Every structure is written in C-alpha cells, then in structure tokens.
Amino acid sequence: MLEINNISKQFGGVKALHDVSFALREGEFLGLIGPNGSGKTTLFNVISGMYKPNSGTITFDGHTISGLMASKICHAGIARTFQIPKPIMDISVLENVMLGSIFGKEKNSAHYHCSLKEAQDAALKLIEFVGLNVDPYSYPKELTAGDLRRLELVRALATQPKILLADEVLSGLNHEELDDAAKVLQRVRDEMKITIIWVEHIMGVLMNLVDRVVVLSYGKMIADGTPQEISTNQEVIDAYLGED
Ligand code: ADP
Ligand code: MG
C-alpha cells in the first residue's frame, strides 16, 4: 500500500534519514521506534509532504507521492498527528474537527456535498469514538495535555484517511489513561479499517498492539520484524531497548 524506497533526508550536516526502505501493507498496524533524534518524525514529515526527501521515492497505492504538496497527500488519504498538538486555538474543539471533515479528503468536486450539519454529526461521532470527553464547544486552551493529544487524533481521523501516521499520541497521558488510549488506536485499525504507522516510546503498550516493528537509529533502519523478534534483537537492545 505504501512503499518507502531508499529515502534520505539531510538537514545541513545532519543525516536525519539515511537510505530507509520498507513497505506497509493494507490493514497493517506498524510500530516505528528508535531513540530520540533517530528520524521518526522526519520520516512522517517526508511521507506527509512537509519535507521533500533528498533522494528516494514514496509510492502510495501505486502512485508516486514524494514531491507532492502536503495538501495533495492528505487528499490522497494519508493523515498525520503532530508530536506537539497543533489545534487552531480560536475556534472550538468541534470546529477544529469539522475542518478536518470538510477540507481533509478530496471530494469528487462537482458532485460532492457535505453540509455543515453532516460535518458536525461526523465530528461529534468521532469525538465520542476517541473518548474525548470534553464539551465540544469548549476551546483548545481549556483542554488538558492528554485531551489535546486526543483532539489531534480526532482531527486526523476526520479527514477519513486510509493511512494514519500517529506521532507519540500517548505522551501526556497518565497511567490509567494509557491502555484506553492505546485501545482507541486498535479500534481505529480494526473498526475504521485504517492502516497505521505508530511512533511511540511506551514500549510495553506498543509491543502488545502492533503487528510489526521498524527500528531507526541515527536515521538508519536497523531492524524490521515482529514485536517478538524486535524485543530479542541484540542490535535493537543495544541501540534503544536496553537489557530490561
Ligand atoms: P525523532 O522523531 O526520532 O526524535 P527527528 O526526526 O525529530 O527524530 O530528528 C532527527 C534528526 O533530524 C535530529 O538530529 C534533529 O535534530 C534533526 N532535524 C529534524 N528536523 C529538523 C529541521 N527541521 N531542521 C534541522 N534539523 C532537523
Ligand atoms: Mg519525534
């Protein structure tokens, strides 16, 4: 479904990504892990069109998307959340989500018709689905860090993506909230049938949910395997997981 072929991205002298290649199958739930600064967010930025790669290509459903504008890639069906939530502060939570429903996915222009009422109903359903238990008419500044993460996820889902790139959506959540929030991602895959790449540092939660794990270290892919294979891979343990 998504093929990442020999992607490299450099910032000045920093090789943030070095010749990274892997493929994502439709319906897959893939974990992307690695130490801070290993290139995880940069890879999301390259896939979603925020940055152009220095070399390599990305294809999505057989079409080359690397080099396209971010809005085109979103319209094609790839949505991402930001590690630092980026809601629009001076509109309500509900309106933030509605923006995703209205402008996210390319609508079959002449025939497409999404009334505000339809966008609102869709947004309210998603807010409930993700467990964002706040007044939809409240403003982002009134939300806790955990709820801002949930809003970030709802905004991405509102664009009706085929692929969700989720960047550390669990940080800021307290211990009790973690499992519930992780299960939301599982339901996004199982019930909404959305393919997911998930970047997360909370290994205990990630390893239990994903089908496969790709590991980056200093911009290079050092492993690709099942959670079981990854957690016993000596190179991954040395670079990231540690002996525990
Ligand atoms: P991760 O998400 O795995 O923590 P990042 O992808 O954010 O890592 O960063 C990878 C490397 O690229 C780091 O060395 C980081 O400082 C650098 N980097 C990321 N984005 C930029 C940027 N816009 N300008 C310069 N350097 C960047
Ligand atoms: Mg990051």
Side-chain angles (χ1 to χ4, degrees):
M1 178 182 216
L2 187 74
E3 281 185 30
I4 294 161
N5 304 305
N6 308 103
I7 288 292
S8 293
K9 176 69 191 174
Q10 213 158 317
F11 298 105
V14 178
K15 278 190 175 169
L17 293 172
H18 186 80
D19 204 22
V20 171
S21 299
F22 64 90
L24 182 69
R25 290 182 288 273
E26 184 161 6
E28 199 167 27
F29 192 175
L30 181 87
L32 178 64
I33 66 172
N36 275 328
S38 58
K40 305 177 300 292
T41 297
T42 301
L43 184 59
F44 278 6
N45 282 328
V46 169
I47 296 172
S48 62
M50 300 264 300
Y51 298 148
K52 287 188 176 36
N54 292 100
S55 57
T57 57
I58 299 177
T59 64
F60 173 42
D61 282 343
H63 301 283
T64 301
I65 57 164
S66 38
L68 293 182
M69 271 170 25
S71 57
K72 289 269 181 244
I73 293 176
C74 175
H75 287 160
I78 300 180
R80 60 91 56 88
T81 70
F82 286 92
Q83 195 172 342
I84 297 159
K86 294 190 172 178
I88 298 171
M89 297 309 279
D90 51 6
I91 61 175
S92 69
V93 165
L94 178 63
E95 287 163 332
N96 264 281
V97 180
M98 286 170 67
L99 276 183
S101 345
I102 293 170
F103 297 109
K105 193 139 189 212
E106 190 151 40
K107 310 301 190 287
N108 200 344
S109 50
H111 303 289
Y112 182 74
H113 169 75
C114 172
S115 70
L116 280 180
K117 177 84 177 75
E118 282 164 346
Q120 183 170 337
D121 289 349
L124 287 169
K125 262 193 204 150
L126 276 178
I127 287 171
E128 197 191 330
F129 182 89
V130 165
L132 177 58
N133 289 318
V134 300
D135 174 3
Y137 295 96
S138 61
Y139 285 79
K141 69 172 183 326
E142 301 167 57
L143 268 50
T144 62
D147 284 336
L148 281 173
R149 299 272 165 181
R150 291 192 185 90
L151 174 58
E152 189 65 16
L153 181 59
V154 190
R155 273 161 35 94
L157 293 175
T159 68
Q160 296 178 269
K162 291 183 191 160
I163 298 179
L164 172 70
L165 309 175
D167 201 350
E168 300 197 25
V169 288
L170 299 192
S171 20
L173 300 190
N174 65 40
H175 212 71
E176 294 91 77
E177 294 174 310
L178 275 184
D179 284 336
D180 282 347
K183 278 187 198 118
V184 168
L185 280 185
Q186 193 171 29
R187 291 178 55 216
V188 166
R189 198 274 297 267
D190 295 344
E191 295 171 29
M192 300 178 85
K193 310 285 181 215
I194 296 173
T195 306
I196 304 176
I197 306 182
W198 181 23
V199 167
E200 197 53 75
H201 279 295
I202 307 167
M203 283 305 106
V205 182
L206 180 135
M207 289 290 197
N208 280 327
L209 290 181
V210 298
D211 306 315
R212 183 159 72 103
V213 183
V214 164
V215 188
L216 293 178
S217 174
Y218 294 105
K220 284 190 187 154
M221 204 174 113
I222 59 166
D224 177 354
T226 63
Q228 174 66 28
E229 286 162 354
I230 294 301
S231 55
T232 54
N233 177 311
Q234 194 58 45
E235 196 180 352
V236 177
I237 292 170
D238 293 343
Y240 181 52
L241 294 180
E243 293 297 339
D244 299 338

